[in-house]
Amino acid sequence: GAVVSQHPSRVICKSGTSVKIECRSLDFQATTMFWYRQFPKKSLMLMATSNEGSKATYEQGVEKDKFLINHASLTLSTLTVTSAHPEDSSFYICSARAGTGMNEQYFGPGTRLTVT
Amino acid sequence: GIQVEQSPPDLILQEGANSTLRCNFSDSVNNLQWFHQNPWGQLINLFYIPSGTKQNGRLSATTVATERYSLLYISSSQTTDSGVYFCAVGTGANSKLTFGKGITLSVRP
């Protein structure tokens, strides 16, 4: 149980284009999903928290107009990197939490984004 | 915000050896998780342990919340245990996680 998937696993795009990454909870309903970014040989940094049906809460320093997050259902959250630039190249990981009082987070396999 | 420190940063073991990985944190938490990140980047949940002691096979973990630390024990290490081990702690209503910098474990045959 508690499986989270991400799609795509790897994407290469040209500078200036937008890329959408999907995060799905496969066997549970996720009231809250999180998006993280990880640079090579570094730790995970939380970008934003999304609660189903409401606007995402972004961490300080994360541009909300650049990283658009939508959590339209209890099993799906999407991260869209708009007008991507090479510095947006990174490993993006999502996680999901089942519900209030259920604090454990389950992580997706990650998406490696390369912007050329 | 909350600070999370993991030690040691790097650890090299001979197969079969035991090890202890430490996680210190600076404030009260309502979530503490240990993960193993495999070479493909997947974070594998090892323990959800905001307090107390748990065991799962060769791995066990203890969190002493009042003293703000957690320990992950690996016994009879295997080469497949190699990778990065992260401790992450959660606070607040959404229990959003703050990660430590990770411990890179190399187990040699």
Side-chain angles (χ1 to χ4, degrees), chain B residues 6-85:
Chain B
Q6 291 186 247
S7 60
D10 300 281
L11 190 55
I12 300 174
L13 299 175
Q14 204 65 32
E15 197 169 27
N18 302 329
S19 63
T20 301
L21 286 61
R22 188 177 181 100
C23 174
N24 291 337
F25 45 96
S26 61
D27 206 345
S28 300
V29 300
N30 57 17
N31 182 1
L32 189 146
Q33 293 184 244
W34 282 97
F35 300 94
H36 177 205
Q37 189 168 37
N38 69 20
W40 298 273
Q42 171 78 62
L43 281 170
I44 299 165
N45 287 40
L46 298 178
F47 293 102
Y48 167 70
I49 189 165
S51 64
T53 298
K54 291 185 178 179
Q55 179 159 7
N56 184 2
R58 294 182 296 104
L59 302 182
S60 63
T62 295
T63 297
V64 184
T66 53
E67 298 187 22
R68 299 181 183 167
Y69 73 89
S70 183
L71 302 173
L72 176 68
Y73 305 97
I74 303 175
S75 64
S76 304
S77 58
Q78 300 175 357
T79 55
T80 51
D81 294 331
S82 297
V84 182
Y85 288 80

Side-chain angles (χ1 to χ4, degrees), chain A residues 9-68:
Chain A
S9 58
R10 187 179 296 266
V11 59
I12 301 172
C13 70
K14 292 186 183 298
S15 188
T17 61
S18 296
V19 174
K20 181 184 284 188
I21 302 169
E22 292 187 349
C23 176
R24 293 182 186 273
S25 57
L26 298 185
D27 53 2
F28 67 101
Q29 293 187 326
T31 56
T32 307
M33 288 184 168
F34 305 84
W35 287 94
Y36 298 82
R37 183 173 180 176
Q38 185 179 31
F39 291 103
K41 300 191 183 297
K42 296 291 186 182
S43 188
L44 281 74
M45 299 296 293
L46 179 66
M47 298 175 64
T49 302
S50 73
N51 292 295
E52 186 264 340
S54 61
K55 289 185 178 181
T57 303
Y58 291 81
E59 295 301 300
Q60 192 171 8
V62 178
E63 299 177 59
K64 62 180 181 180
D65 294 330
K66 181 166 189 60
F67 299 100
L68 300 179

